[in-house]
Amino acid sequence: MPQPYDLPQPAQPAQRSQPSQRSELIIRPAVLDDDTALAELDRRTWSPLHAVQPKPQPPYDPFFTLHNRVEQILVAELAGSPVGYIRLVPPTPLACNAHVRQIQGLAVDERVRGQGVARALLGAAYQEARRQGATRMTLRVLGHNTPARRLYASEGFAVEGVLPGEFLLEGEYVDDVMMGRPLDR
């Protein structure tokens, strides 16, 4: 069920193009018809700041795959177009781990960054995880991704582990930081 979110105005409007009116952000479950738009969004937002896979090159793969299923994705939509998504999955198939959901992807179009889209996606992910019976949320973030780490910390995620130098990205060793939080609030 779509949920409206009123986007706050950015602190420095001169740095972003602003519509003449405030727009309503909708967070909704993904549908198969989102494939092309989400694949394009994924390519536009690719960065070594958060990606461990090489930059996508043509011919491009579809967004939805056996590993990246439509039912795992929540979409942020603004003015009828996807501007972000979050992927929420059980971290393992084990029954003893069924109370945990893991964020395994969060992307926001650069044109709307700083306007609350990531927070709205996280809020919707918490609600969906609770609906699925989860009591805990986890994620992994690259150590050099300071903006994402700040966002997650402000949302109540705590660092629960670090794999030092886990990835070699653009000639530099980068930590893999594991974060988690309870879903009781």
Side-chain angles (χ1 to χ4, degrees), residues 8-180:
Q9 296 300 310
Q12 299 172 343
Q15 293 179 347
R16 302 191 188 280
S17 61
Q18 291 296 305
S20 57
Q21 304 174 359
R22 291 169 71 127
S23 299
E24 185 177 53
L25 180 70
I26 302 293
I27 306 295
R28 61 170 176 77
V31 295
L32 287 174
D33 286 345
D34 291 323
D35 188 81
T36 299
L38 292 178
E40 289 173 4
L41 175 65
D42 218 32
R43 288 191 297 272
R44 281 195 318 271
T45 59
W46 184 94
S47 165
L49 190 62
H50 61 79
V52 296
Q53 296 287 341
K55 186 171 185 168
Q57 301 295 321
Y60 298 119
D61 293 328
F63 184 79
F64 296 120
T65 64
L66 288 176
H67 178 70
N68 197 44
R69 300 189 325 257
V70 66
E71 66 271 12
Q72 299 171 332
I73 309 292
L74 296 174
V75 175
E77 183 178 282
L78 190 60
S81 297
V83 294
Y85 72 84
I86 194 166
R87 180 171 177 251
L88 186 65
V89 301
T92 73
L94 302 170
C96 61
N97 193 224
H99 65 288
V100 179
R101 287 298 175 274
Q102 188 171 69
I103 296 169
Q104 291 186 0
L106 172 62
V108 174
D109 193 307
E110 189 175 291
R111 296 171 294 179
V112 296
R113 286 190 188 152
Q115 297 183 34
V117 175
R119 280 189 201 283
L121 283 164
L122 286 166
Y126 306 148
Q127 290 175 359
E128 177 58 19
R130 285 186 199 104
R131 187 192 70 73
Q132 294 176 14
T135 59
R136 178 171 157 66
M137 177 91 58
T138 64
L139 59 86
R140 294 169 74 166
V141 60
L142 293 176
H144 66 195
N145 192 344
T146 304
R149 290 181 66 186
R150 272 194 214 123
L151 170 66
Y152 297 137
S154 75
E155 286 286 315
F157 285 88
V159 173
E160 297 179 339
V162 176
L163 299 173
E166 186 72 1
F167 299 104
L168 179 61
L169 302 173
E170 298 189 324
E172 300 286 329
Y173 290 102
V174 179
D175 297 348
D176 190 11
V177 179
M178 292 163 275
M179 301 181 81

